[in-house]
Amino acid sequence: MVFTAQHTHVLIVGAGPSGLMMAAQLLRYGVQPIIIDSKAGPTNHSKALAVQARSLEIYRQMGVVDKAVNNGKKAQGAIFNQNGIEESSLSLHNIGEGLTLFPYILMYEQSKNERLLLDYLTLNCCPVYWNTTLTSLQQNADGATGQLQNAEGEYTLTCDWVIGADGAHSSVRKQLQIPFKGDTYAHSFYLIDAKLSASSLTEDHLNMFLGEKSFTAFFPMPEQDSCRIIGNLPEEFGEREDVQVEEMLPYLNAITKRTITLIQTNWFTTYKLHHRMADNFRVQRCFLIGDAAHIHSPVGGQGMNTGLQDAYNLAWKLAGVVNGQIKPTILDSYAAERMPVAKELLNTTDAAFNVIMSTKWYAKLFKKWLLFRILGFAWKSENIRTAFFKRVSQIDINYRDSNINLHLSKSTKVKAGDRLPYLKLFDEKQHVETDLHEWCSKPGFTLIILGKFDELFLFTMAKWITQKYAGILNFFYLPPSGKNLEVFETFEANPHQQKAIIVRPDMYIGYMNDVADIGMMDSYLQNVALISP
């Protein structure tokens, strides 16, 4: 593809899920980025497998979630086996009911996610420049200059901002000389994506098998009789790079105590796992997102989802700056909000992974005699199941400590910095049933006021928004009614009092107050959220 541009507001390097999401979100705000990738095209391999509820909520806001859900498979549970014998079975069926519109873990491969996002870019006339490499990058206070190369030649591109979404071996990160600290796990692993013959495996469940020195896990995939098989490579293979899938079958049969027959192998690879994090997610005009910023073990299906949310967090801030609607200092909040999330994720996935892989005598005893009993007992608690879902679905991530949020309410259950709860409601104006997330589906901030207000106040509120924040702040009013008691109770709002909530474009609460005071909201928007009216 011939590269003709000489300048762009935003250059995105890397067209994996994070880079594609970044481009898609910028397009929602009218910013046309340039996105390049050194690969020939989107991946043909499944790669990341799980899409969590928080990512599906983003897809819903974009209007593409139905395609993902209809072409994915909901994981119904997890079965844990030792020496081929089932020890524990945990149901995942609608485990997050009432917490989100998507109360499950969806098996929807990375390759499908990429094509879903590519379709979105295509509809918005945003091409990906494949086979195009960033060879050098320089920046100053006013912008950056990248040298690009593809089969047609070499190009110089100036840009205002650069997004490094180019994976664990990120050229952007290396050009910026940002340390990528961490380590590589000692074991080697294998991955098989295949169609199996009819077996005794429960098709819509994760099936994990633990042995003395090894583990194997079978993950359901959307296609009939298809699954992902991962496990640690037996020690006798050493550092061999020419392992064939047929060599793994005796080990699979031994650990599962079953005969595993592969009808069709779509992908087989061996690999090492790493856990690393960049020292900085931003240097001047350049940002890192996704695997360029952090990589970790695949425990819990968190990696791709975290990258999608990195992009989701950064895009509305960057678009606001590019469009002249938000002051550039808002961009400092990206690293401030996302680096703690990445650090916590690395710590939790590393701890869980080390328990699974440990061969120490006490770890073996724990896994043999206690692990499954503890899991089975704990799973009986609704509170523990709920806490597990909130963590794995990433809906419990909050930015309460962020300096672009302001909590002036006495509410303690939900605070500024929290993800906006998913709550069904009855729209008294439109006389239709909807939900808070649907109210926040449009680009921009959303003001929601709860309580009883007279027509003059509502007119004054609408006039203030129209005059100062048109196209930036959407407005909804929810009066007290018997149909909306849950909304008032969740926000600890008295139907006879007021409550004002300003929701950020990424569906996190930026502002909450027990009075609907225009002056205070105006001060928040300009001095805390840094909006230029």
Side-chain angles (χ1 to χ4, degrees):
M1 182 182 293
V2 177
F3 198 89
T4 58
Q6 294 180 324
H7 179 81
T8 182
H9 286 302
V10 183
L11 169 65
I12 301 171
V13 183
S18 301
L20 293 170
M21 176 61 82
M22 187 74 199
Q25 290 296 323
L26 289 174
L27 288 166
R28 291 184 69 231
Y29 293 93
V31 176
Q32 190 85 12
I34 286 179
I35 179 169
I36 67 170
D37 198 296
S38 59
K39 301 191 302 291
T43 183
N44 292 319
H45 298 310
S46 55
K47 296 191 175 181
L49 190 54
V51 179
Q52 304 294 353
R54 186 67 186 130
S55 299
L56 292 172
E57 289 176 352
I58 298 171
Y59 281 160
R60 183 192 183 203
Q61 193 182 45
M62 296 168 62
V64 300
V65 72
D66 288 347
K67 185 174 180 180
V69 173
N70 293 338
N71 290 285
K73 176 180 284 188
K74 300 172 186 177
Q76 297 298 322
I79 299 173
F80 297 89
N81 305 268
Q82 194 155 44
N83 297 320
I85 300 172
E86 181 179 320
E87 297 283 355
S88 184
S89 178
L90 312 180
S91 174
L92 296 174
H93 178 70
N94 285 347
I95 184 175
E97 192 72 51
L99 300 173
T100 173
L101 188 60
F102 312 102
Y104 44 77
I105 299 172
L106 185 73
M107 298 303 176
Y108 187 68
E109 307 97 297
Q110 178 176 325
S111 54
K112 292 181 179 178
N113 281 273
E114 290 186 11
R115 282 165 175 78
L116 181 74
L117 291 166
L118 278 168
D119 287 346
Y120 188 94
L121 266 60
T122 300
L123 287 172
N124 288 275
C125 303
C126 180
V128 175
Y129 292 89
W130 300 107
N131 294 310
T132 303
T133 303
L134 176 74
T135 57
S136 71
L137 177 66
Q138 293 84 35
Q139 62 173 329
N140 54 41
D142 299 319
T145 301
Q147 299 297 325
L148 311 181
Q149 185 174 20
N150 62 19
E152 282 73 34
E154 297 183 0
Y155 309 89
T156 299
L157 179 72
T158 60
C159 47
D160 299 324
W161 306 96
V162 178
I163 308 298
D166 45 345
H169 302 289
S170 170
S171 61
V172 173
R173 190 187 64 243
K174 292 173 182 176
Q175 293 275 349
L176 298 174
Q177 298 183 339
I178 299 176
F180 200 40
K181 294 177 182 175
D183 206 351
T184 301
Y185 291 106
H187 301 83
S188 294
F189 299 85
Y190 65 87
L191 179 153
I192 307 170
D193 279 355
K195 185 173 183 179
L196 306 184
S197 66
S199 69
S200 56
L201 296 175
T202 306
E203 187 180 317
D204 54 6
H205 283 57
L206 157 67
N207 290 267
M208 177 173 279
F209 296 84
L210 292 181
E212 279 287 317
K213 296 182 179 180
S214 61
F215 85 96
T216 293
F218 294 73
F219 295 87
M221 295 181 72
E223 287 70 29
Q224 183 71 27
D225 298 324
S226 296
C227 72
R228 156 82 53 82
I229 309 170
I230 63 170
N232 60 303
L233 204 63
E235 293 178 356
E236 50 263 43
F237 285 92
E239 298 295 321
R240 276 182 55 193
E241 297 182 356
D242 60 344
V243 180
Q244 301 298 309
V245 66
E246 292 79 13
E247 297 178 82
M248 300 311 306
L249 292 178
Y251 297 93
L252 289 176
N253 294 338
I255 195 170
T256 63
K257 308 301 182 187
R258 295 162 170 80
T259 300
I260 304 297
T261 303
L262 306 182
I263 300 298
Q264 177 181 321
T265 301
N266 298 317
W267 185 30
F268 173 72
T269 187
T270 59
Y271 57 97
K272 287 276 193 177
L273 284 174
H274 311 268
H275 49 112
R276 299 181 185 275
M277 178 173 161
D279 275 6
N280 300 296
F281 284 13
R282 178 192 181 185
V283 175
Q284 290 182 283
R285 293 271 171 164
C286 300
F287 300 86
L288 301 178
I289 63 174
D291 285 357
H294 46 78
I295 54 173
H296 44 81
S297 86
V299 171
Q302 302 295 290
M304 178 177 67
N305 295 274
T306 304
L308 293 175
Q309 290 176 58
D310 287 344
Y312 188 55
N313 180 285
L314 176 58
W316 68 268
K317 300 169 183 176
L318 188 58
V321 172
V322 170
N323 290 329
Q325 296 174 329
I326 304 179
K327 297 170 187 175
T329 46
I330 189 76
L331 298 173
D332 294 335
S333 68
Y334 166 65
E337 291 183 343
R338 293 305 295 173
M339 286 186 74
V341 173
K343 186 175 182 180
E344 172 68 13
L345 183 61
L346 259 71
N347 290 338
T348 53
T349 55
D350 186 50
F353 190 76
N354 283 330
V355 169
I356 295 171
M357 294 306 304
S358 178
T359 56
K360 295 177 179 177
W361 66 268
Y362 52 84
K364 288 181 179 180
L365 288 176
F366 173 74
K367 287 186 283 188
K368 184 174 182 179
W369 300 108
L370 294 176
L371 176 59
F372 300 120
R373 289 178 173 83
I374 292 173
L375 281 174
F377 179 78
W379 209 249
K380 295 176 182 178
S381 166
E382 183 178 350
N383 289 337
I384 290 177
R385 294 196 304 272
T386 298
F388 167 82
F389 179 79
K390 286 182 176 180
R391 172 60 67 93
V392 77
S393 68
Q394 302 194 355
I395 65 173
D396 71 336
I397 291 172
N398 72 74
Y399 307 131
R400 288 186 177 184
D401 296 330
S402 174
N403 60 10
I404 64 168
N405 302 320
L406 183 62
H407 189 74
L408 299 176
S409 171
K410 295 179 181 178
S411 301
T412 57
K413 294 178 184 176
V414 180
K415 292 187 174 184
D418 290 349
R419 159 191 166 270
L420 180 70
Y422 170 76
L423 294 167
K424 295 180 180 179
L425 60 87
F426 183 77
D427 188 322
E428 300 285 356
K429 183 178 180 180
Q430 301 292 333
H431 297 287
V432 294
E433 290 186 353
T434 182
D435 60 79
L436 285 182
H437 286 195
E438 180 66 25
W439 269 8
C440 298
S441 61
K442 293 180 180 179
F445 288 77
T446 303
L447 168 61
I448 301 171
I449 58 172
L450 311 178
K452 195 165 182 61
F453 298 87
D454 59 41
E455 291 294 328
L456 179 59
F457 178 83
L458 296 175
F459 174 79
T460 303
M461 182 81 74
K463 183 178 179 182
W464 165 66
I465 293 171
T466 301
Q467 290 180 341
K468 294 190 74 171
Y469 300 103
I472 301 173
L473 184 62
N474 305 300
F475 175 45
F476 290 91
Y477 164 48
L478 189 67
S481 73
K483 295 181 178 180
N484 292 316
L485 284 177
E486 184 183 7
V487 179
F488 281 79
E489 290 172 354
T490 299
F491 290 105
E492 301 171 70
N494 187 324
H496 304 291
Q497 296 175 329
Q498 303 174 357
K499 182 79 70 171
I501 301 161
I502 297 178
V503 183
R504 300 171 8 169
D506 56 1
M507 286 197 296
Y508 278 85
I509 297 170
Y511 171 90
M512 186 184 294
N513 200 348
D514 295 332
V515 293
D517 184 284
I518 291 177
M520 297 175 78
M521 290 187 288
D522 197 57
S523 178
Y524 163 75
L525 290 170
Q526 293 186 51
N527 300 319
V528 181
L530 302 174
I531 293 175
S532 301

